[in-house]
Amino acid sequence: MEEEKKNMKILLVDDDRFLLDMYLLKFKKSGLEIDTASNGTTALEKIKSGVDYSIILMDIIMPGMDGLELLKAIRDQKLQPKSVIIMLTNQADDEEKAKALGVDGYIIKATTIPSEVVEKVLTIYKNKKK
C-alpha cells in the first residue's frame, strides 16, 4: 500500500473550512496527495478537468450542489470511473440514498476521529480495488 500511496490523488470536498484543513493535514501526514474543494460545483469542475482521482471523499451537506447531487452527476456523466467515492458526513440517514447512487463507502464524522478517517478511507479503497 505504501508504494500505491505515492501514486494516489485524493479530492476532498467539504464546505467546513476547519474540517477541510484538519483532514488535509491528516492525509498529507500519511504521504497522500490531496486536492480540495469547498463545494460540489467546484469539485465537479476539478473532476471534469482531467485529473484522475483515486479517491473522491465528500461531505453530503454543502451549499449549492450537495454531495448527493455531486455523486449523481459523477455517476450519470460517467466521470472518474476508476475513482472510489466515499461520503464523509454526519447524515447517517442518507446512507441508503448514497448507496442507491453508487457510493463506494460511507464514514460518519461524529463517530470517527480524524486520524481514523485516513485509515478507513484507505481500507475502503483497498477493499474496492480487490
Side-chain angles (χ1 to χ4, degrees):
M1 189 62 152
E2 285 304 314
E3 186 60 36
E4 194 172 343
K5 276 176 152 182
K6 292 178 186 171
N7 300 317
M8 292 175 75
K9 185 160 180 108
I10 299 173
L11 176 60
L12 176 58
V13 188
D14 199 317
D15 63 313
D16 184 321
R17 190 74 230 176
F18 175 76
L19 287 175
L20 195 65
D21 288 343
M22 186 172 47
Y23 291 129
L24 182 63
L25 180 67
K26 296 291 181 190
F27 279 101
K28 282 187 173 183
K29 274 187 169 181
S30 295
L32 294 160
E33 186 178 345
I34 304 292
D35 194 3
T36 63
S38 59
N39 60 62
T41 305
T42 302
L44 190 56
E45 289 169 9
K46 289 184 177 212
I47 289 165
K48 288 181 173 181
S49 73
V51 174
D52 286 325
Y53 293 104
S54 304
I55 299 169
I56 301 171
L57 179 63
M58 67 177 94
D59 190 14
I60 288 183
I61 297 182
M62 296 183 286
M65 177 184 281
D66 69 21
L68 293 173
E69 292 169 317
L70 177 58
L71 174 61
K72 184 172 179 2
I74 293 168
R75 294 303 194 212
D76 286 354
Q77 297 174 40
K78 296 181 176 29
L79 304 170
Q80 303 285 330
K82 295 179 184 172
S83 296
V84 173
I85 302 177
I86 303 168
M87 291 290 182
L88 177 64
T89 185
N90 279 322
Q91 299 302 116
D93 54 335
D94 284 332
E95 185 170 5
E96 290 308 313
K97 290 179 201 168
K99 283 181 179 176
L101 293 171
V103 76
D104 297 305
Y106 202 89
I107 299 171
I108 305 296
K109 291 179 192 178
T111 60
T112 310
I113 60 172
S115 58
E116 291 175 338
V117 169
V118 174
E119 293 170 32
K120 285 188 175 195
V121 165
L122 292 175
T123 298
I124 292 167
Y125 176 82
K126 190 169 75 175
N127 291 338
K128 181 69 180 173
K129 292 297 179 178
K130 281 184 180 176

PDB file of all heavy atoms in Angstrom, residues 55-92:
ATOM      1  N   ILE A  55      -9.396   8.634  -5.188  1.00  0.00           N
ATOM      2  CA  ILE A  55     -10.471   8.683  -4.204  1.00  0.00           C
ATOM      3  C   ILE A  55     -11.107  10.066  -4.243  1.00  0.00           C
ATOM      4  O   ILE A  55     -10.402  11.079  -4.291  1.00  0.00           O
ATOM      5  CB  ILE A  55      -9.939   8.418  -2.776  1.00  0.00           C
ATOM      6  CG1 ILE A  55      -9.310   7.021  -2.689  1.00  0.00           C
ATOM      7  CG2 ILE A  55     -11.038   8.584  -1.728  1.00  0.00           C
ATOM      8  CD1 ILE A  55      -8.525   6.772  -1.415  1.00  0.00           C
ATOM      9  N   ILE A  56     -12.430  10.093  -4.193  1.00  0.00           N
ATOM     10  CA  ILE A  56     -13.165  11.345  -4.012  1.00  0.00           C
ATOM     11  C   ILE A  56     -13.907  11.188  -2.693  1.00  0.00           C
ATOM     12  O   ILE A  56     -14.750  10.305  -2.541  1.00  0.00           O
ATOM     13  CB  ILE A  56     -14.138  11.622  -5.176  1.00  0.00           C
ATOM     14  CG1 ILE A  56     -13.357  11.702  -6.502  1.00  0.00           C
ATOM     15  CG2 ILE A  56     -14.932  12.906  -4.903  1.00  0.00           C
ATOM     16  CD1 ILE A  56     -14.235  11.753  -7.735  1.00  0.00           C
ATOM     17  N   LEU A  57     -13.539  12.014  -1.739  1.00  0.00           N
ATOM     18  CA  LEU A  57     -14.094  11.970  -0.387  1.00  0.00           C
ATOM     19  C   LEU A  57     -14.908  13.234  -0.192  1.00  0.00           C
ATOM     20  O   LEU A  57     -14.365  14.334  -0.296  1.00  0.00           O
ATOM     21  CB  LEU A  57     -12.945  11.890   0.617  1.00  0.00           C
ATOM     22  CG  LEU A  57     -13.267  11.857   2.096  1.00  0.00           C
ATOM     23  CD1 LEU A  57     -14.062  10.613   2.454  1.00  0.00           C
ATOM     24  CD2 LEU A  57     -11.969  11.907   2.906  1.00  0.00           C
ATOM     25  N   MET A  58     -16.214  13.085   0.061  1.00  0.00           N
ATOM     26  CA  MET A  58     -17.057  14.283   0.103  1.00  0.00           C
ATOM     27  C   MET A  58     -18.087  14.276   1.216  1.00  0.00           C
ATOM     28  O   MET A  58     -18.564  13.220   1.630  1.00  0.00           O
ATOM     29  CB  MET A  58     -17.750  14.461  -1.237  1.00  0.00           C
ATOM     30  CG  MET A  58     -18.772  13.388  -1.546  1.00  0.00           C
ATOM     31  SD  MET A  58     -19.643  13.672  -3.091  1.00  0.00           S
ATOM     32  CE  MET A  58     -18.647  12.715  -4.208  1.00  0.00           C
ATOM     33  N   ASP A  59     -18.385  15.483   1.651  1.00  0.00           N
ATOM     34  CA  ASP A  59     -19.455  15.721   2.604  1.00  0.00           C
ATOM     35  C   ASP A  59     -20.776  15.657   1.836  1.00  0.00           C
ATOM     36  O   ASP A  59     -20.798  15.784   0.614  1.00  0.00           O
ATOM     37  CB  ASP A  59     -19.260  17.113   3.220  1.00  0.00           C
ATOM     38  CG  ASP A  59     -20.178  17.393   4.396  1.00  0.00           C
ATOM     39  OD1 ASP A  59     -20.792  16.451   4.936  1.00  0.00           O
ATOM     40  OD2 ASP A  59     -20.273  18.568   4.789  1.00  0.00           O
ATOM     41  N   ILE A  60     -21.873  15.460   2.541  1.00  0.00           N
ATOM     42  CA  ILE A  60     -23.178  15.485   1.873  1.00  0.00           C
ATOM     43  C   ILE A  60     -23.764  16.888   1.909  1.00  0.00           C
ATOM     44  O   ILE A  60     -24.137  17.433   0.884  1.00  0.00           O
ATOM     45  CB  ILE A  60     -24.173  14.478   2.512  1.00  0.00           C
ATOM     46  CG1 ILE A  60     -23.755  13.052   2.138  1.00  0.00           C
ATOM     47  CG2 ILE A  60     -25.597  14.752   2.032  1.00  0.00           C
ATOM     48  CD1 ILE A  60     -24.683  11.975   2.647  1.00  0.00           C
ATOM     49  N   ILE A  61     -23.819  17.483   3.098  1.00  0.00           N
ATOM     50  CA  ILE A  61     -24.483  18.783   3.217  1.00  0.00           C
ATOM     51  C   ILE A  61     -23.488  19.903   2.903  1.00  0.00           C
ATOM     52  O   ILE A  61     -22.542  20.142   3.657  1.00  0.00           O
ATOM     53  CB  ILE A  61     -25.096  18.973   4.613  1.00  0.00           C
ATOM     54  CG1 ILE A  61     -26.171  17.925   4.837  1.00  0.00           C
ATOM     55  CG2 ILE A  61     -25.677  20.374   4.757  1.00  0.00           C
ATOM     56  CD1 ILE A  61     -26.882  18.011   6.140  1.00  0.00           C
ATOM     57  N   MET A  62     -23.728  20.535   1.741  1.00  0.00           N
ATOM     58  CA  MET A  62     -22.916  21.671   1.298  1.00  0.00           C
ATOM     59  C   MET A  62     -23.844  22.645   0.588  1.00  0.00           C
ATOM     60  O   MET A  62     -24.860  22.226   0.027  1.00  0.00           O
ATOM     61  CB  MET A  62     -21.819  21.208   0.325  1.00  0.00           C
ATOM     62  CG  MET A  62     -20.797  20.281   0.929  1.00  0.00           C
ATOM     63  SD  MET A  62     -19.483  19.824  -0.241  1.00  0.00           S
ATOM     64  CE  MET A  62     -20.343  18.681  -1.329  1.00  0.00           C
ATOM     65  N   PRO A  63     -23.503  23.926   0.588  1.00  0.00           N
ATOM     66  CA  PRO A  63     -24.345  24.894  -0.121  1.00  0.00           C
ATOM     67  C   PRO A  63     -24.270  24.666  -1.636  1.00  0.00           C
ATOM     68  O   PRO A  63     -23.275  24.160  -2.147  1.00  0.00           O
ATOM     69  CB  PRO A  63     -23.731  26.247   0.257  1.00  0.00           C
ATOM     70  CG  PRO A  63     -22.338  25.946   0.676  1.00  0.00           C
ATOM     71  CD  PRO A  63     -22.345  24.548   1.224  1.00  0.00           C
ATOM     72  N   GLY A  64     -25.336  25.030  -2.333  1.00  0.00           N
ATOM     73  CA  GLY A  64     -25.357  24.825  -3.783  1.00  0.00           C
ATOM     74  C   GLY A  64     -25.546  23.352  -4.084  1.00  0.00           C
ATOM     75  O   GLY A  64     -26.502  22.735  -3.643  1.00  0.00           O
ATOM     76  N   MET A  65     -24.594  22.775  -4.799  1.00  0.00           N
ATOM     77  CA  MET A  65     -24.646  21.348  -5.131  1.00  0.00           C
ATOM     78  C   MET A  65     -24.171  20.543  -3.926  1.00  0.00           C
ATOM     79  O   MET A  65     -23.025  20.650  -3.518  1.00  0.00           O
ATOM     80  CB  MET A  65     -23.745  21.069  -6.340  1.00  0.00           C
ATOM     81  CG  MET A  65     -23.680  19.598  -6.712  1.00  0.00           C
ATOM     82  SD  MET A  65     -22.531  19.264  -8.061  1.00  0.00           S
ATOM     83  CE  MET A  65     -23.526  19.752  -9.444  1.00  0.00           C
ATOM     84  N   ASP A  66     -25.071  19.724  -3.362  1.00  0.00           N
ATOM     85  CA  ASP A  66     -24.660  18.932  -2.202  1.00  0.00           C
ATOM     86  C   ASP A  66     -23.960  17.653  -2.661  1.00  0.00           C
ATOM     87  O   ASP A  66     -23.831  17.387  -3.866  1.00  0.00           O
ATOM     88  CB  ASP A  66     -25.844  18.645  -1.277  1.00  0.00           C
ATOM     89  CG  ASP A  66     -26.883  17.689  -1.848  1.00  0.00           C
ATOM     90  OD1 ASP A  66     -26.573  16.921  -2.780  1.00  0.00           O
ATOM     91  OD2 ASP A  66     -28.018  17.692  -1.333  1.00  0.00           O
ATOM     92  N   GLY A  67     -23.499  16.863  -1.709  1.00  0.00           N
ATOM     93  CA  GLY A  67     -22.735  15.664  -2.025  1.00  0.00           C
ATOM     94  C   GLY A  67     -23.519  14.618  -2.798  1.00  0.00           C
ATOM     95  O   GLY A  67     -22.966  13.940  -3.669  1.00  0.00           O
ATOM     96  N   LEU A  68     -24.809  14.475  -2.504  1.00  0.00           N
ATOM     97  CA  LEU A  68     -25.626  13.505  -3.234  1.00  0.00           C
ATOM     98  C   LEU A  68     -25.806  13.934  -4.691  1.00  0.00           C
ATOM     99  O   LEU A  68     -25.743  13.110  -5.605  1.00  0.00           O
ATOM    100  CB  LEU A  68     -26.981  13.297  -2.552  1.00  0.00           C
ATOM    101  CG  LEU A  68     -26.923  12.613  -1.186  1.00  0.00           C
ATOM    102  CD1 LEU A  68     -28.294  12.621  -0.516  1.00  0.00           C
ATOM    103  CD2 LEU A  68     -26.384  11.199  -1.287  1.00  0.00           C
ATOM    104  N   GLU A  69     -26.003  15.236  -4.915  1.00  0.00           N
ATOM    105  CA  GLU A  69     -26.116  15.747  -6.288  1.00  0.00           C
ATOM    106  C   GLU A  69     -24.791  15.580  -7.035  1.00  0.00           C
ATOM    107  O   GLU A  69     -24.781  15.218  -8.215  1.00  0.00           O
ATOM    108  CB  GLU A  69     -26.520  17.226  -6.281  1.00  0.00           C
ATOM    109  CG  GLU A  69     -27.918  17.477  -5.778  1.00  0.00           C
ATOM    110  CD  GLU A  69     -28.203  18.951  -5.517  1.00  0.00           C
ATOM    111  OE1 GLU A  69     -27.346  19.644  -4.941  1.00  0.00           O
ATOM    112  OE2 GLU A  69     -29.292  19.392  -5.903  1.00  0.00           O
ATOM    113  N   LEU A  70     -23.691  15.817  -6.339  1.00  0.00           N
ATOM    114  CA  LEU A  70     -22.370  15.641  -6.938  1.00  0.00           C
ATOM    115  C   LEU A  70     -22.142  14.172  -7.294  1.00  0.00           C
ATOM    116  O   LEU A  70     -21.685  13.855  -8.401  1.00  0.00           O
ATOM    117  CB  LEU A  70     -21.277  16.153  -5.994  1.00  0.00           C
ATOM    118  CG  LEU A  70     -19.832  15.960  -6.449  1.00  0.00           C
ATOM    119  CD1 LEU A  70     -19.570  16.636  -7.800  1.00  0.00           C
ATOM    120  CD2 LEU A  70     -18.883  16.510  -5.380  1.00  0.00           C
ATOM    121  N   LEU A  71     -22.472  13.280  -6.381  1.00  0.00           N
ATOM    122  CA  LEU A  71     -22.335  11.848  -6.631  1.00  0.00           C
ATOM    123  C   LEU A  71     -23.165  11.436  -7.848  1.00  0.00           C
ATOM    124  O   LEU A  71     -22.685  10.715  -8.728  1.00  0.00           O
ATOM    125  CB  LEU A  71     -22.766  11.055  -5.392  1.00  0.00           C
ATOM    126  CG  LEU A  71     -22.820   9.534  -5.516  1.00  0.00           C
ATOM    127  CD1 LEU A  71     -21.453   8.958  -5.858  1.00  0.00           C
ATOM    128  CD2 LEU A  71     -23.345   8.930  -4.221  1.00  0.00           C
ATOM    129  N   LYS A  72     -24.401  11.916  -7.912  1.00  0.00           N
ATOM    130  CA  LYS A  72     -25.277  11.595  -9.041  1.00  0.00           C
ATOM    131  C   LYS A  72     -24.674  12.109 -10.352  1.00  0.00           C
ATOM    132  O   LYS A  72     -24.660  11.388 -11.360  1.00  0.00           O
ATOM    133  CB  LYS A  72     -26.671  12.188  -8.814  1.00  0.00           C
ATOM    134  CG  LYS A  72     -27.668  11.809  -9.891  1.00  0.00           C
ATOM    135  CD  LYS A  72     -29.063  12.265  -9.520  1.00  0.00           C
ATOM    136  CE  LYS A  72     -30.136  11.972 -10.536  1.00  0.00           C
ATOM    137  NZ  LYS A  72     -29.842  11.284 -11.729  1.00  0.00           N
ATOM    138  N   ALA A  73     -24.156  13.325 -10.347  1.00  0.00           N
ATOM    139  CA  ALA A  73     -23.546  13.890 -11.561  1.00  0.00           C
ATOM    140  C   ALA A  73     -22.336  13.070 -12.002  1.00  0.00           C
ATOM    141  O   ALA A  73     -22.175  12.779 -13.192  1.00  0.00           O
ATOM    142  CB  ALA A  73     -23.138  15.347 -11.311  1.00  0.00           C
ATOM    143  N   ILE A  74     -21.502  12.671 -11.049  1.00  0.00           N
ATOM    144  CA  ILE A  74     -20.318  11.864 -11.371  1.00  0.00           C
ATOM    145  C   ILE A  74     -20.733  10.540 -11.997  1.00  0.00           C
ATOM    146  O   ILE A  74     -20.177  10.129 -13.028  1.00  0.00           O
ATOM    147  CB  ILE A  74     -19.456  11.617 -10.107  1.00  0.00           C
ATOM    148  CG1 ILE A  74     -18.844  12.921  -9.605  1.00  0.00           C
ATOM    149  CG2 ILE A  74     -18.368  10.581 -10.392  1.00  0.00           C
ATOM    150  CD1 ILE A  74     -18.233  12.818  -8.212  1.00  0.00           C
ATOM    151  N   ARG A  75     -21.695   9.869 -11.399  1.00  0.00           N
ATOM    152  CA  ARG A  75     -22.125   8.561 -11.897  1.00  0.00           C
ATOM    153  C   ARG A  75     -22.896   8.691 -13.220  1.00  0.00           C
ATOM    154  O   ARG A  75     -22.653   7.940 -14.152  1.00  0.00           O
ATOM    155  CB  ARG A  75     -22.976   7.830 -10.852  1.00  0.00           C
ATOM    156  CG  ARG A  75     -22.215   7.451  -9.591  1.00  0.00           C
ATOM    157  CD  ARG A  75     -20.998   6.594  -9.875  1.00  0.00           C
ATOM    158  NE  ARG A  75     -20.484   5.983  -8.650  1.00  0.00           N
ATOM    159  CZ  ARG A  75     -19.211   5.727  -8.441  1.00  0.00           C
ATOM    160  NH1 ARG A  75     -18.312   6.029  -9.343  1.00  0.00           N
ATOM    161  NH2 ARG A  75     -18.817   5.169  -7.317  1.00  0.00           N
ATOM    162  N   ASP A  76     -23.825   9.659 -13.302  1.00  0.00           N
ATOM    163  CA  ASP A  76     -24.629   9.821 -14.520  1.00  0.00           C
ATOM    164  C   ASP A  76     -23.778  10.192 -15.730  1.00  0.00           C
ATOM    165  O   ASP A  76     -24.027   9.733 -16.840  1.00  0.00           O
ATOM    166  CB  ASP A  76     -25.722  10.891 -14.328  1.00  0.00           C
ATOM    167  CG  ASP A  76     -26.876  10.422 -13.460  1.00  0.00           C
ATOM    168  OD1 ASP A  76     -26.912   9.226 -13.089  1.00  0.00           O
ATOM    169  OD2 ASP A  76     -27.739  11.260 -13.137  1.00  0.00           O
ATOM    170  N   GLN A  77     -22.773  11.043 -15.502  1.00  0.00           N
ATOM    171  CA  GLN A  77     -21.922  11.504 -16.601  1.00  0.00           C
ATOM    172  C   GLN A  77     -20.711  10.593 -16.814  1.00  0.00           C
ATOM    173  O   GLN A  77     -19.857  10.877 -17.642  1.00  0.00           O
ATOM    174  CB  GLN A  77     -21.467  12.948 -16.347  1.00  0.00           C
ATOM    175  CG  GLN A  77     -22.620  13.932 -16.302  1.00  0.00           C
ATOM    176  CD  GLN A  77     -22.163  15.327 -15.915  1.00  0.00           C
ATOM    177  OE1 GLN A  77     -21.120  15.793 -16.333  1.00  0.00           O
ATOM    178  NE2 GLN A  77     -22.969  16.007 -15.097  1.00  0.00           N
ATOM    179  N   LYS A  78     -20.657   9.519 -16.032  1.00  0.00           N
ATOM    180  CA  LYS A  78     -19.558   8.548 -16.115  1.00  0.00           C
ATOM    181  C   LYS A  78     -18.187   9.223 -15.991  1.00  0.00           C
ATOM    182  O   LYS A  78     -17.246   8.923 -16.727  1.00  0.00           O
ATOM    183  CB  LYS A  78     -19.664   7.732 -17.398  1.00  0.00           C
ATOM    184  CG  LYS A  78     -20.933   6.881 -17.435  1.00  0.00           C
ATOM    185  CD  LYS A  78     -21.026   6.062 -18.680  1.00  0.00           C
ATOM    186  CE  LYS A  78     -22.207   5.135 -18.745  1.00  0.00           C
ATOM    187  NZ  LYS A  78     -23.420   5.442 -18.077  1.00  0.00           N
ATOM    188  N   LEU A  79     -18.110  10.144 -15.025  1.00  0.00           N
ATOM    189  CA  LEU A  79     -16.851  10.837 -14.735  1.00  0.00           C
ATOM    190  C   LEU A  79     -16.049  10.014 -13.736  1.00  0.00           C
ATOM    191  O   LEU A  79     -16.624   9.373 -12.859  1.00  0.00           O
ATOM    192  CB  LEU A  79     -17.148  12.221 -14.140  1.00  0.00           C
ATOM    193  CG  LEU A  79     -18.032  13.143 -14.978  1.00  0.00           C
ATOM    194  CD1 LEU A  79     -18.429  14.364 -14.163  1.00  0.00           C
ATOM    195  CD2 LEU A  79     -17.309  13.558 -16.250  1.00  0.00           C
ATOM    196  N   GLN A  80     -14.755  10.018 -13.857  1.00  0.00           N
ATOM    197  CA  GLN A  80     -13.876   9.351 -12.901  1.00  0.00           C
ATOM    198  C   GLN A  80     -14.315   7.903 -12.630  1.00  0.00           C
ATOM    199  O   GLN A  80     -14.505   7.513 -11.471  1.00  0.00           O
ATOM    200  CB  GLN A  80     -13.821  10.137 -11.586  1.00  0.00           C
ATOM    201  CG  GLN A  80     -13.369  11.564 -11.712  1.00  0.00           C
ATOM    202  CD  GLN A  80     -11.873  11.710 -11.941  1.00  0.00           C
ATOM    203  OE1 GLN A  80     -11.079  10.893 -11.508  1.00  0.00           O
ATOM    204  NE2 GLN A  80     -11.488  12.761 -12.627  1.00  0.00           N
ATOM    205  N   PRO A  81     -14.462   7.079 -13.657  1.00  0.00           N
ATOM    206  CA  PRO A  81     -14.960   5.713 -13.440  1.00  0.00           C
ATOM    207  C   PRO A  81     -14.058   4.841 -12.564  1.00  0.00           C
ATOM    208  O   PRO A  81     -14.531   3.872 -11.979  1.00  0.00           O
ATOM    209  CB  PRO A  81     -15.065   5.147 -14.859  1.00  0.00           C
ATOM    210  CG  PRO A  81     -14.154   5.991 -15.683  1.00  0.00           C
ATOM    211  CD  PRO A  81     -14.147   7.347 -15.047  1.00  0.00           C
ATOM    212  N   LYS A  82     -12.788   5.178 -12.448  1.00  0.00           N
ATOM    213  CA  LYS A  82     -11.878   4.381 -11.618  1.00  0.00           C
ATOM    214  C   LYS A  82     -11.797   4.882 -10.178  1.00  0.00           C
ATOM    215  O   LYS A  82     -11.199   4.244  -9.328  1.00  0.00           O
ATOM    216  CB  LYS A  82     -10.475   4.375 -12.235  1.00  0.00           C
ATOM    217  CG  LYS A  82     -10.439   3.672 -13.574  1.00  0.00           C
ATOM    218  CD  LYS A  82      -9.056   3.711 -14.160  1.00  0.00           C
ATOM    219  CE  LYS A  82      -9.042   3.083 -15.546  1.00  0.00           C
ATOM    220  NZ  LYS A  82      -7.776   3.265 -16.218  1.00  0.00           N
ATOM    221  N   SER A  83     -12.393   6.041  -9.914  1.00  0.00           N
ATOM    222  CA  SER A  83     -12.334   6.624  -8.570  1.00  0.00           C
ATOM    223  C   SER A  83     -13.205   5.863  -7.589  1.00  0.00           C
ATOM    224  O   SER A  83     -14.299   5.418  -7.919  1.00  0.00           O
ATOM    225  CB  SER A  83     -12.816   8.080  -8.582  1.00  0.00           C
ATOM    226  OG  SER A  83     -11.973   8.890  -9.343  1.00  0.00           O
ATOM    227  N   VAL A  84     -12.715   5.761  -6.361  1.00  0.00           N
ATOM    228  CA  VAL A  84     -13.508   5.244  -5.256  1.00  0.00           C
ATOM    229  C   VAL A  84     -14.140   6.468  -4.592  1.00  0.00           C
ATOM    230  O   VAL A  84     -13.431   7.394  -4.204  1.00  0.00           O
ATOM    231  CB  VAL A  84     -12.626   4.452  -4.264  1.00  0.00           C
ATOM    232  CG1 VAL A  84     -13.414   4.070  -3.028  1.00  0.00           C
ATOM    233  CG2 VAL A  84     -12.052   3.209  -4.948  1.00  0.00           C
ATOM    234  N   ILE A  85     -15.461   6.480  -4.498  1.00  0.00           N
ATOM    235  CA  ILE A  85     -16.170   7.642  -3.944  1.00  0.00           C
ATOM    236  C   ILE A  85     -16.700   7.290  -2.564  1.00  0.00           C
ATOM    237  O   ILE A  85     -17.406   6.298  -2.391  1.00  0.00           O
ATOM    238  CB  ILE A  85     -17.305   8.101  -4.870  1.00  0.00           C
ATOM    239  CG1 ILE A  85     -16.729   8.451  -6.258  1.00  0.00           C
ATOM    240  CG2 ILE A  85     -18.040   9.286  -4.258  1.00  0.00           C
ATOM    241  CD1 ILE A  85     -17.767   8.843  -7.280  1.00  0.00           C
ATOM    242  N   ILE A  86     -16.325   8.137  -1.601  1.00  0.00           N
ATOM    243  CA  ILE A  86     -16.673   7.905  -0.199  1.00  0.00           C
ATOM    244  C   ILE A  86     -17.357   9.148   0.358  1.00  0.00           C
ATOM    245  O   ILE A  86     -16.884  10.266   0.168  1.00  0.00           O
ATOM    246  CB  ILE A  86     -15.406   7.597   0.630  1.00  0.00           C
ATOM    247  CG1 ILE A  86     -14.668   6.380   0.043  1.00  0.00           C
ATOM    248  CG2 ILE A  86     -15.759   7.369   2.098  1.00  0.00           C
ATOM    249  CD1 ILE A  86     -13.269   6.174   0.603  1.00  0.00           C
ATOM    250  N   MET A  87     -18.472   8.936   1.053  1.00  0.00           N
ATOM    251  CA  MET A  87     -19.154  10.023   1.744  1.00  0.00           C
ATOM    252  C   MET A  87     -18.592  10.117   3.155  1.00  0.00           C
ATOM    253  O   MET A  87     -18.423   9.105   3.831  1.00  0.00           O
ATOM    254  CB  MET A  87     -20.656   9.757   1.830  1.00  0.00           C
ATOM    255  CG  MET A  87     -21.376   9.816   0.525  1.00  0.00           C
ATOM    256  SD  MET A  87     -21.432  11.516  -0.066  1.00  0.00           S
ATOM    257  CE  MET A  87     -22.360  11.299  -1.557  1.00  0.00           C
ATOM    258  N   LEU A  88     -18.324  11.329   3.577  1.00  0.00           N
ATOM    259  CA  LEU A  88     -17.836  11.616   4.923  1.00  0.00           C
ATOM    260  C   LEU A  88     -18.821  12.631   5.491  1.00  0.00           C
ATOM    261  O   LEU A  88     -18.797  13.803   5.102  1.00  0.00           O
ATOM    262  CB  LEU A  88     -16.422  12.195   4.856  1.00  0.00           C
ATOM    263  CG  LEU A  88     -15.773  12.629   6.151  1.00  0.00           C
ATOM    264  CD1 LEU A  88     -15.570  11.427   7.065  1.00  0.00           C
ATOM    265  CD2 LEU A  88     -14.435  13.291   5.882  1.00  0.00           C
ATOM    266  N   THR A  89     -19.720  12.185   6.355  1.00  0.00           N
ATOM    267  CA  THR A  89     -20.828  13.043   6.741  1.00  0.00           C
ATOM    268  C   THR A  89     -21.352  12.723   8.136  1.00  0.00           C
ATOM    269  O   THR A  89     -21.002  11.702   8.711  1.00  0.00           O
ATOM    270  CB  THR A  89     -21.964  12.894   5.699  1.00  0.00           C
ATOM    271  OG1 THR A  89     -23.003  13.814   5.985  1.00  0.00           O
ATOM    272  CG2 THR A  89     -22.511  11.482   5.685  1.00  0.00           C
ATOM    273  N   ASN A  90     -22.198  13.597   8.630  1.00  0.00           N
ATOM    274  CA  ASN A  90     -22.912  13.334   9.877  1.00  0.00           C
ATOM    275  C   ASN A  90     -24.328  12.865   9.597  1.00  0.00           C
ATOM    276  O   ASN A  90     -25.098  12.630  10.513  1.00  0.00           O
ATOM    277  CB  ASN A  90     -22.940  14.585  10.758  1.00  0.00           C
ATOM    278  CG  ASN A  90     -21.651  14.759  11.514  1.00  0.00           C
ATOM    279  OD1 ASN A  90     -21.056  13.782  11.965  1.00  0.00           O
ATOM    280  ND2 ASN A  90     -21.186  15.981  11.639  1.00  0.00           N
ATOM    281  N   GLN A  91     -24.689  12.735   8.341  1.00  0.00           N
ATOM    282  CA  GLN A  91     -26.035  12.364   7.940  1.00  0.00           C
ATOM    283  C   GLN A  91     -26.166  10.851   7.763  1.00  0.00           C
ATOM    284  O   GLN A  91     -26.177  10.354   6.650  1.00  0.00           O
ATOM    285  CB  GLN A  91     -26.404  13.072   6.631  1.00  0.00           C
ATOM    286  CG  GLN A  91     -26.397  14.582   6.720  1.00  0.00           C
ATOM    287  CD  GLN A  91     -27.339  15.090   7.769  1.00  0.00           C
ATOM    288  OE1 GLN A  91     -26.922  15.697   8.737  1.00  0.00           O
ATOM    289  NE2 GLN A  91     -28.618  14.845   7.610  1.00  0.00           N
ATOM    290  N   ALA A  92     -26.293  10.132   8.851  1.00  0.00           N
ATOM    291  CA  ALA A  92     -26.409   8.672   8.782  1.00  0.00           C
ATOM    292  C   ALA A  92     -27.647   8.245   8.004  1.00  0.00           C
ATOM    293  O   ALA A  92     -27.647   7.200   7.353  1.00  0.00           O
ATOM    294  CB  ALA A  92     -26.441   8.085  10.183  1.00  0.00           C
TER     295      ALA A  92
END
